[in-house]
Amino acid sequence: MNKNEYKVNTYVLIKNGEIYEIDEEGCVKKAKNGENVPFYRKREISEALCKMTKRKSSKFLLVKKDDFIHMEQNGGTEKIFCSLMFPLAKKMISLGIIMMIATLLGTFTNYMVNTFIGKTGSLNDVGLFQAANSITNQYIGLVFTAMGMDFFPRLSAVSSDTQKIRELVNQQTEIVILISIPLAILLIITAPLLIKILLTDQFLTLVPVIRWMGLGIAFKAIAFPMGYISFAKGDKRTFFWLEGIWGNVLMLCLNITFYYYWGVYG
């Protein structure tokens, strides 16, 4: 590469370790392989990136001429690729930490509910509550987990398009309702049989509790797709406050209040 060919105050467009160029129509496309590296002024690059969505344009890295030459001499495009991936890795790690904290808060909330039941009522009530909670959560949790593995990547792919997000969430809500409602009805009808199979006859007093929880599955199914929106957008603050704080505080207050007035059946 001849350094004299490069212009002063120009930049190269890099994405995923590959060089991109701007065509005659002002559109960004992958550069052809060759010795001539396309360099552009900031104004040219800005005009080209403005034609793209914010999500796509944010993936490009602008590298100054001198920095590009230095990087090619000390590692080439691999080093440039690492420079581009670092912000993405940082974002993924921060999202993972927020999700971990939200999960820990959920576990702590469940512990607080059990502690309140144990001190206000009895250890027998704690066992009954945990048994009913375990049956219903495990019953429907497998369905939600399987759907989330398919739904979340598709939602993340269109997270920058509000209209597509709305369409995808509505579509997923219909699917979840069509699957979960029959399962909830089946749980309500077969609650005594499930208790006899999974537990013992001593837990038959849980039949009304499990049936009420089965009814709650229907409402949980409606909210299920919407819970992924903030996380798919990478909105850590909204996800943390909705899932980590508001959801757990609401569950804690409702469980304590209903148990205080109506016992395990509440």
Side-chain angles (χ1 to χ4, degrees):
M1 246 184 301
N2 186 359
K3 297 182 182 179
N4 295 327
E5 295 178 359
Y6 297 113
K7 299 178 181 180
V8 179
N9 296 326
T10 53
Y11 301 80
V12 63
L13 272 172
I14 304 289
K15 187 179 82 169
N16 296 341
E18 297 179 332
I19 299 172
Y20 280 70
E21 65 181 2
I22 302 174
D23 60 19
E24 295 179 355
E25 297 178 355
C27 298
V28 179
K29 65 178 183 179
K30 191 179 296 185
K32 299 178 181 178
N33 294 329
E35 294 184 356
N36 294 325
V37 179
F39 280 80
Y40 306 95
R41 297 183 182 275
K42 270 190 175 181
R43 183 177 179 180
E44 296 175 287
I45 296 174
S46 298
E47 291 175 353
L49 294 180
C50 283
K51 298 181 180 180
M52 307 171 67
T53 63
K54 184 178 179 180
R55 179 180 175 84
K56 290 182 179 180
S57 62
S58 63
K59 295 180 179 180
F60 286 93
L61 179 69
L62 273 65
V63 182
K64 291 182 68 173
K65 176 193 70 173
D66 295 337
D67 294 335
F68 181 81
I69 297 173
H70 178 73
M71 286 181 178
E72 283 222 323
Q73 293 173 347
N74 297 275
T77 54
E78 290 80 6
K79 188 169 183 179
I80 298 173
F81 178 72
C82 292
S83 300
L84 181 63
M85 287 297 102
F86 178 75
L88 179 61
K90 184 179 179 181
K91 183 178 181 180
M92 291 177 63
I93 292 172
S94 62
L95 284 172
I97 292 174
I98 293 297
M99 176 176 281
M100 181 181 67
I101 294 174
T103 303
L104 289 174
L105 288 174
T107 303
F108 178 73
T109 300
N110 190 50
Y111 170 77
M112 292 295 294
V113 172
N114 290 335
T115 302
F116 178 82
I117 294 175
K119 290 186 176 182
T120 307
S122 64
L123 291 178
N124 184 54
D125 286 350
V126 175
L128 291 174
F129 174 75
Q130 281 297 95
N133 197 35
S134 177
I135 290 175
T136 52
N137 284 339
Q138 290 178 6
Y139 184 76
I140 200 64
L142 294 175
V143 178
F144 286 158
T145 301
M147 287 185 178
M149 293 177 65
D150 169 71
F151 175 60
F152 181 68
R154 292 189 290 118
L155 184 64
S156 299
V158 298
S159 59
S160 60
D161 192 325
T162 304
Q163 181 61 31
K164 289 183 178 179
I165 288 177
R166 188 180 295 111
E167 293 175 357
L168 188 59
V169 169
N170 290 338
Q171 180 186 19
Q172 190 69 21
T173 301
E174 293 178 5
I175 295 173
V176 172
I177 290 176
L178 290 174
I179 295 176
S180 62
I181 296 299
L183 290 177
I185 295 173
L186 185 63
L187 176 64
I188 293 172
I189 295 173
T190 62
L193 180 62
L194 284 175
I195 291 174
K196 290 181 179 180
I197 294 174
L198 300 176
L199 303 171
T200 63
D201 292 345
Q202 295 177 347
F203 289 87
L204 285 175
T205 54
L206 286 176
V207 171
V209 179
I210 292 178
R211 284 175 172 170
W212 276 110
M213 287 185 172
L215 182 62
I217 288 175
F219 295 98
K220 188 176 181 179
I222 296 174
F224 167 75
M226 293 183 287
Y228 280 90
I229 295 176
S230 59
F231 195 72
K233 285 178 168 289
D235 189 348
K236 301 186 291 293
R237 180 176 299 178
T238 302
F239 177 82
F240 177 74
W241 281 104
L242 287 179
E243 299 292 329
I245 303 297
W246 170 247
N248 288 312
V249 170
L250 182 64
M251 186 177 72
L252 179 63
C253 294
L254 290 177
N255 281 330
I256 288 177
T257 302
F258 277 71
Y259 177 79
Y260 182 79
Y261 288 103
W262 294 284
V264 175
Y265 295 105

